[in-house]
């Protein structure tokens, strides 16, 4: 029975039996040497206890540092143990004279059939990759726009800037960043998911509808941060350090229900929070645009908010710069 249990576990797609050790000390030594990632302990007299109808629990010691791998390993071992226990119980009932159908139903009276609607492969990539790609796009755009904006802080650069209004300058920069980022958006959220075999239910055009306010909101946030900090190194370090908090606040790696309400309110001001929710719903879950209306409106609101902040800071700085030039010209006269 123990060899049959080992063969069944080894036959699962999630677990491979690497070796058999005679005692716990040898097994722990193999774990410490990273030769195996877990230990399955089968008690002595396993078959005798099973044949006598007594409980003979097996023990699994698995590495939980990678929680998704740990979940798959424990699920595979638990499934095999339950199946084998149901077979033993059914055989015992049949031996006692119970009908075969009744014995099978008694050993598993409520069979569970789980169907993953939007992650049929049950894989890590299908679950986390779409959201991770949006975060990568956000971080690269934030840092890139921040560095471009801080490179125009020197007086020599400011003298070369066209004498346009703050709003016209913002609209021109938005258009430039939108043109540059759209091909990257298409590559990351349309071409790469297709190559990786990620299921898609929604049309591509709806993804692009969400992409426009997302790009404007992210570039507006970067311009506002760059206008406030003005130092390229400080902008790069600050925005790079925000990557992991943005990842956790998005509500897919850490359960959204476990996030405090105050933190959720703060997360709304991060463009990736609404973009991940809306784009995943539209592209992978087959949602209509009307179903993600709140996410679209939030992204447009963030774009206008951060754009207004960038315009106000740049307009105030330009006014101070012109006043300083006027004073210097007056002194020269």
């Amino acid at each position: 029975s123990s060899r049959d249990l080992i063969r069944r576990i080894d036959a699962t797609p999630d677990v491979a039996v690497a070796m058999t050790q005679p005692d716990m000390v040898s097994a722990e030594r193999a774990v410490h040497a990273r030769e195996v990632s877990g230990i399955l302990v089968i008690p002595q007299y396993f078959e005798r206890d099973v044949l006598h109808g007594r409980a003979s629990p097996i023990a699994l010691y698995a590495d939980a540092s990678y929680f998704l791998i740990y979940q798959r390993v424990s699920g595979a071992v638990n499934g095999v143990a339950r199946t084998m226990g149901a077979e033993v119980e059914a055989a015992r009932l049949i031996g006692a004279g119970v009908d075969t159908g009744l014995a099978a139903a008694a050993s598993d009276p409520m069979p569970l059939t789980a169907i993953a609607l939007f992650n049929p492969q049950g894989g890590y990539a299908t679950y986390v990759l779409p959201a991770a790609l949006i975060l990568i796009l956000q971080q690269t755009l934030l840092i890139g726009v921040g560095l471009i904006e801080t490179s125009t802080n020197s007086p020599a650069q400011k003298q070369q800037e066209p004498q346009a209004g703050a709003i016209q300058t913002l609209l021109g920069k938005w258009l430039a960043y939108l043109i540059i980022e759209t091909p990257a958006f298409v590559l990351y959220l349309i071409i790469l998911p297709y190559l990786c075999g990620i299921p898609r239910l929604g049309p591509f055009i709806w993804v692009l509808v969400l992409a426009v306010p997302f790009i404007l909101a992210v570039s507006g946030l970067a311009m506002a941060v760059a206008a406030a900090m003005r130092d390229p190194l400080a902008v790069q370090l600050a925005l790079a350090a925000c990557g992991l908090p943005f990842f956790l606040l998005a509500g897919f790696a850490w359960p959204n229900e476990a996030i405090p309400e105050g933190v959720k309110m703060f997360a709304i001001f991060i463009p990736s929070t609404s973009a991940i929710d809306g784009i995943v719903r539209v592209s992978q879950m087959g949602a209509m645009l009307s179903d993600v209306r709140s996410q679209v409106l939030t992204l447009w609101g963030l774009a206008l908010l951060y754009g207004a902040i960038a315009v106000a800071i740049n307009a105030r700085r330009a006014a101070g710069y012109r006043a300083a030039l006027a004073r210097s010209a007056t002194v020269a006269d």
Side-chain angles (χ1 to χ4, degrees):
S1 295
S2 61
R3 287 193 292 269
D4 182 33
L5 176 65
I6 294 172
R7 282 194 298 268
R8 295 188 184 201
I9 293 176
D10 189 48
T12 62
D14 300 316
V15 180
V17 178
M19 61 181 66
T20 302
Q21 297 291 350
D23 50 41
M24 193 64 178
V25 176
S26 302
E28 289 180 357
R29 190 179 298 115
V31 171
H32 295 158
R34 290 297 179 182
E35 298 176 358
V36 295
S37 298
I39 303 172
L40 179 67
V41 179
I42 302 176
Q44 192 178 15
Y45 308 121
F46 174 73
E47 183 172 359
R48 186 183 68 180
D49 292 339
V50 168
L51 293 177
H52 282 80
R54 294 191 293 265
S56 183
I58 60 176
L60 174 65
Y61 301 89
D63 185 2
S65 57
Y66 298 98
F67 66 96
L68 290 175
I69 298 178
Y70 171 78
Q71 183 181 11
R72 300 293 290 270
V73 171
S74 60
V77 174
N78 186 51
V80 170
R82 287 180 177 273
T83 301
M84 193 169 182
E87 292 177 357
V88 171
E89 180 64 17
R92 186 184 67 81
L93 293 175
I94 293 173
V98 180
D99 182 76
T100 303
L102 294 176
S107 60
D108 190 12
M110 298 181 64
L112 174 64
T113 302
I115 300 175
L117 295 178
F118 307 115
N119 187 5
Q121 301 167 344
Y124 179 77
T126 307
Y127 164 69
V128 77
L129 189 59
L133 292 176
I134 298 174
L135 282 170
I136 292 172
L137 284 170
Q138 175 176 269
Q139 289 304 108
T140 53
L141 184 59
L142 277 175
I143 296 175
V145 174
L147 293 178
I148 291 174
E149 292 295 318
T150 51
S151 65
T152 61
N153 285 327
S154 64
Q157 284 285 346
K158 289 183 177 181
Q159 291 177 0
Q160 298 174 6
E161 291 182 356
Q163 299 300 316
I167 297 179
Q168 291 85 345
T169 302
L170 172 69
L171 295 177
K173 290 180 178 180
W174 261 350
L175 180 60
Y177 297 142
L178 187 63
I179 294 174
I180 294 173
E181 188 68 13
T182 299
F185 206 93
V186 172
L187 172 64
Y188 272 72
L189 296 185
I190 295 178
I191 298 177
L192 287 181
Y194 173 77
L195 296 177
C196 295
I198 297 177
R200 303 188 67 88
L201 298 178
F204 297 147
I205 188 65
W206 290 356
V207 177
L208 296 179
V209 170
L210 281 153
V212 173
F214 171 68
I215 295 173
L216 298 181
V218 174
S219 56
L221 174 59
M223 285 188 283
V225 172
M229 303 186 74
R230 293 186 288 180
D231 181 49
L233 181 59
V235 169
Q236 184 176 6
L237 292 176
L239 294 178
C242 292
L244 185 57
F246 288 171
F247 177 82
L248 296 175
L249 291 175
F252 70 96
W254 187 265
N256 193 48
E257 293 77 12
I259 300 177
E261 291 298 327
V263 179
K264 288 183 183 179
M265 295 298 297
F266 172 77
I268 293 177
F269 293 94
I270 304 172
S272 59
T273 303
S274 299
I276 290 173
D277 191 17
I279 292 175
V280 169
R281 288 180 184 227
V282 166
S283 62
Q284 291 188 270
M285 303 175 70
M288 305 291 291
L289 282 179
S290 58
D291 299 325
V292 294
R293 184 186 297 109
S294 61
Q295 288 81 0
V296 175
L297 294 177
T298 300
L299 289 174
W300 278 112
L302 292 177
L304 295 176
L305 172 64
Y306 294 133
I309 294 174
V311 166
I313 295 176
N314 286 325
R316 182 177 179 182
R317 185 171 302 150
Y321 180 69
R322 286 193 294 268
L325 287 179
R327 287 194 300 269
S328 62
T330 303
V331 171
D333 292 340

